[in-house]
Every structure is written in structure tokens, then in C-alpha cells.
Amino acid sequence: MKKKHLKLKKKAWFILSLIIFIPIAIISFIKIKQDYEYKKTYEYRFLEQDYTKEEYNLLAKYFDDNKLEDLLNKDKDTLLLDFLKNDKFIIDNLDRYLNFYNKYRVGVDEVILNVNLNLDYDWYDEISEVDTSKDILMLVNKYNILPEDYEPDDLVSISVKYAWGSGNTIRKEAYEAFVKMWDDAYDKGIYLIINLGYRSYQEQEAVYNRLLNARNRKYADSISARPGHSEHQTGLALDIFEKSNSNTETFKDSEAYAWLKDNAYKYGFILRYTKENEGITGFNAEDWHYRYVGIKAAKEITEQNLTFEEYYFYNVK
Ligand SMILES: [Zn+2]
């Protein structure tokens, strides 16, 4: 009886250990298999190659297996990672970033800015049509052309009180902003005067062709925008001088220039072409050319010292 009891006890122990052992064996087996599978993954292989998990995730986000294999065959590509980590990075531009970097050896931020703004192309290369749906924030420059028949539908005449001669027009919203600005400048003893507002494609074409015929393309390009590439066709650009000084050479020394530089943004205008941003705008400095973009954008552009190209690319597009 005692023996039987002992036998039973032994059996119970045996069953109990099986109950404990089998799941452990199964779990261990699964674990080993998972480890084995994991070691075959790109994640594991990249971590082994000194990439961090975040870096691997970035690579996996942008690249297919072929490219990942390529990268694993090389040392850790820190330059590539610097591009991927930049918040302005655009995958479609990657080859252009690398070409630009190899050519100019400038920092990643500068490479990305230049390429994102198309500055790796020659002026008037790779032209797209202006997105006029952006309305007062539309971008017209050497890479963005307005159609021949584009004409704003809310042009209003500029009073001769504010402009040299009659016949100048401008979009209504810009005109209202200008009149407010004019009043405030006038209170400070400054008489602002507009030299040019809206200009049609055909008029721009005539101006450009005159310069072209007088000399050559290089000369014409240095002075005038090609037809479709002038901001004046938007009806949002104004050439603003002072009544007593409308001289392009000396306007920069005038009181009006200084006042506009400090105050124009409060009314929604920005000085569009400055000496320091010639490399981005593609136009020589024009101390008198103001563009209406609305108060919010003008404030941000002025406070952050941006070109309109940068602002457009990162905030509007
Ligand atoms: Zn102008």
C-alpha cells in the first residue's frame, strides 16, 4: 500500500514536470527561431553595422531592398543619414542633393535649400507653370512662368495721386494695402509714388525684346524678366519710389527707402530683390520693387529674413 502510494507520487511528479517542461521547451524553441529569423532582417544587420534603430527606420522608410543591400556592403553612410535626417529632405531630390554636394562641398542645409529651390538648375531651366491658385502667395520667378493670357480679374486703376501718370493698375487688395501705407508714410513727411504696377505678358514681351534686339540675351536677362516671368504680371508687384527721388541709383539713400524697409511688411509688402538674395531670386537687387503677399506672410518673411522663394517652398507649396 505504501509502495503503491509512492509509485503514484512518482508518476504525479513526472506529469507535473512534463507540464512545466513542455511549455518552456516550446517557448525556448520559438525564441531561438525568432532570434534566428531576426538575425536575417535588415534591422539586425544595420544595427550590427553601427546604425541606430532610428537611422535604420529612416533608411527603411525611403529605400527598397536593393538599395539597403548596397548600403550594407559599404561603411556606415553618415552623409546620406545627414540628408535623411534633415526636415526639408525630399527623397525625389536625393541624386540632385548628392550631385550638388559633390560639386560645391557645402553643408547639408545649404545643399537642400539650393536644390529644393531648383538653384542647381540654370536660370530659366526646368520651368513649371505658376500655381495661380495660391492667389496672393503665387510664386513667379525664373523657374515658374505665368501663362500668356494670365491677367488678374480684380485690377483697379491707381490714382494719379499715388503714381506717375495715369494708366497704372494693380489688384484691389494690394491697392487698398498700399493706400494705407501711403497715408502713414505721408504722415511722416514721405511722399511715396508708384512707377509701375501691373504689366501684361505682351507688354513684358515688348520690353524684353527691345533689350534683346538692342544687344543680346545676356544683356536683356540682366535687366528684364522674360515674358511670363515678371512679378508685375501678377498685379501684386509695385515699383515704389519717392516723389522727390525716383532715381534707381540713389533711391536706396532716400528716407522713403529706409521707411519702407522698416514698415512695408506691416501692410503686407516685402522688398523682393535684395543684394544678398540675388543668388536665390536670380534677379539683380531692385531697391524699389515691392511685392504684396499679405500681412501674415510679409511679417514672417521679414522677421525670419527669408526670400519669398524660401517662404513659398516651405509654407505655401
Ligand atoms: Zn518691379
Side-chain angles (χ1 to χ4, degrees):
M1 185 70 187
K2 220 179 177 187
K3 235 182 174 179
K4 203 181 175 191
H5 188 72
L6 204 72
K7 230 181 176 178
L8 253 173
K9 229 178 170 183
K10 258 189 177 171
K11 210 173 177 184
W13 274 112
F14 180 70
I15 290 166
L16 192 66
S17 44
L18 273 185
I19 289 169
I20 295 168
F21 175 75
I22 290 172
I24 291 175
I26 292 170
I27 290 167
S28 306
F29 177 75
I30 291 171
K31 186 89 180 52
I32 289 164
K33 190 161 184 326
Q34 275 173 346
D35 275 0
Y36 174 75
E37 293 294 333
Y38 179 65
K39 283 183 179 169
K40 289 199 292 190
T41 64
Y42 282 116
E43 179 175 306
Y44 175 81
R45 293 168 68 197
F46 275 97
L47 294 183
E48 284 291 287
Q49 206 123 311
D50 281 340
Y51 287 85
T52 66
K53 184 108 189 315
E54 290 72 31
E55 289 169 344
Y56 162 71
N57 287 339
L58 267 179
L59 297 173
K61 177 178 160 193
Y62 289 118
F63 300 124
D64 62 13
D65 290 0
N66 285 336
K67 175 71 181 172
L68 294 179
E69 285 293 346
D70 277 357
L71 288 168
L72 283 168
N73 287 327
K74 295 187 292 190
D75 288 340
K76 182 173 175 178
D77 193 336
T78 51
L79 176 67
L80 177 66
L81 288 168
D82 286 345
F83 279 111
L84 300 189
K85 286 174 188 168
N86 192 292
D87 61 346
K88 311 292 189 212
F89 173 82
I90 296 170
I91 184 67
D92 290 344
N93 289 349
L94 181 58
D95 289 342
R96 288 166 62 200
Y97 294 142
L98 296 173
N99 288 338
F100 195 91
Y101 175 81
N102 288 328
K103 202 165 166 190
Y104 299 106
R105 296 282 158 180
V106 289
V108 165
D109 281 345
E110 204 177 332
V111 171
I112 289 183
L113 174 68
N114 275 275
V115 171
N116 286 4
L117 298 179
N118 281 344
L119 298 171
D120 54 331
Y121 296 134
D122 287 337
W123 303 122
Y124 295 118
D125 247 10
E126 299 291 327
I127 295 168
S128 316
E129 191 164 295
V130 170
D131 181 358
T132 55
S133 74
K134 302 296 183 201
D135 197 32
I136 62 165
L137 291 174
M138 71 175 80
L139 174 67
V140 177
N141 64 11
K142 291 185 174 178
Y143 303 114
N144 292 280
I145 189 168
L146 279 167
E148 234 170 286
D149 59 357
Y150 178 79
E151 185 184 320
D153 56 13
D154 58 352
L155 291 172
V156 293
S157 288
I158 300 176
S159 158
V160 290
K161 179 181 172 187
Y162 308 120
W164 290 123
S166 57
N168 269 297
T169 58
I170 191 73
R171 284 186 61 183
K172 191 165 178 285
E173 185 177 337
Y175 189 47
E176 284 164 3
F178 175 81
V179 169
K180 274 195 200 113
M181 185 163 80
W182 189 94
D183 285 340
D184 291 348
Y186 191 73
D187 285 346
K188 296 273 181 287
I190 295 161
Y191 199 117
L192 298 176
I193 194 109
I194 292 167
N195 195 36
L196 178 67
Y198 168 73
R199 187 190 259 165
S200 71
Y201 183 99
Q202 291 69 25
E203 288 168 307
Q204 186 67 28
E205 193 170 39
V207 168
Y208 184 80
N209 285 343
R210 254 199 311 279
L211 293 163
L212 191 63
N213 295 333
R215 290 232 213 134
N216 53 39
R217 196 172 267 286
K218 198 177 169 209
Y219 171 73
D221 281 342
S222 74
I223 296 178
S224 165
R226 293 185 190 173
H229 295 277
S230 168
E231 266 200 334
H232 286 283
Q233 197 189 334
T234 65
L236 296 164
L238 289 172
D239 290 343
I240 309 172
F241 291 91
E242 189 171 20
K243 201 169 186 183
S244 59
N245 183 354
S246 290
N247 184 314
T248 55
E249 297 296 318
T250 60
F251 179 64
K252 204 173 183 181
D253 306 320
S254 71
E255 217 186 321
Y257 172 82
W259 188 87
L260 283 169
K261 202 167 186 294
D262 290 343
N263 296 285
Y265 77 93
K266 297 173 191 165
Y267 306 88
F269 291 94
I270 54 164
L271 183 60
R272 185 72 172 85
Y273 306 119
T274 64
K275 191 89 203 146
E276 59 269 24
N277 67 31
E278 281 177 358
I280 292 179
T281 65
F283 287 100
N284 292 327
E286 291 187 4
D287 305 322
W288 52 88
H289 180 108
Y290 279 84
R291 161 69 193 270
Y292 181 74
V293 292
I295 293 170
K296 183 176 172 279
K299 196 163 178 279
E300 283 176 42
I301 289 166
T302 306
E303 282 172 357
Q304 294 169 43
N305 195 24
L306 301 171
T307 56
F308 184 54
E309 273 77 7
E310 291 164 278
Y311 180 82
Y312 182 86
F313 195 85
Y314 297 120
N315 299 283
V316 183
K317 199 176 175 179

